[in-house]
């Protein structure tokens, strides 16, 4: 994705921390502000990259009942969980 931004002369921006609507500005609003500032009316505006938290679950066997259970994985406890997903957003 970074290469696409470089090839087209558009910015590649890593968002840290992730921009969200809850935090006051959505990624779409952020990209629209770049488009307005750079006067981009068509084509690639920018490439936004971020790491966003996501819920991850695992299957665990209950040794007493011998049945499988689905449990949420806690990132700090289980480092092998897929606790984060990388988002590359083309705008």
């Amino acid at each position: 994705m970074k290469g696409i931004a470089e090839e087209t002369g558009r910015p590649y921006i890593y968002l840290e921390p992730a921009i969200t609507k809850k935090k006051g500005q959505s990624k779409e609003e952020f990209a629209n502000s770049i488009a307005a500032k750079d006067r981009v009316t068509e084509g690639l505006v920018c490439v936004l990259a971020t790491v966003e938290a996501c819920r991850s679950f695992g299957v665990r066997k209950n040794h007493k009942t011998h049945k499988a259970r689905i449990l949420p994985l806690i990132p700090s406890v289980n480092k092998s969980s897929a606790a984060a997903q990388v988002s590359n957003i083309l705008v």
Side-chain angles (χ1 to χ4, degrees):
M1 296 295 165
K2 197 172 191 177
I4 293 171
E6 289 173 356
E7 287 174 17
T8 58
R10 300 306 307 149
Y12 175 91
I13 303 165
Y14 179 78
L15 303 174
E16 187 180 342
I19 290 178
T20 64
K21 187 71 170 174
K22 280 185 180 178
K23 293 182 181 179
Q25 185 179 38
S26 70
K27 292 175 189 77
E28 183 178 3
E29 291 167 341
F30 183 72
N32 284 334
S33 70
I34 292 171
K37 180 182 69 123
D38 294 349
R39 297 183 177 148
V40 176
T41 58
E42 62 181 40
L44 184 66
V45 172
C46 61
V47 177
L48 304 178
T50 188
V51 176
E52 296 180 345
C54 66
R55 200 94 202 242
S56 191
F57 294 87
V59 177
R60 298 287 183 261
K61 183 179 178 181
N62 184 321
H63 294 286
K64 291 180 183 178
T65 64
H66 301 288
K67 293 183 178 179
R69 298 181 344 176
I70 299 175
L71 301 171
L73 297 176
I74 301 169
S76 60
V77 174
N78 186 340
K79 302 261 188 219
S80 66
S81 71
Q85 102 184 15
V86 176
S87 298
N88 283 304
I89 301 165
L90 288 176
V91 181

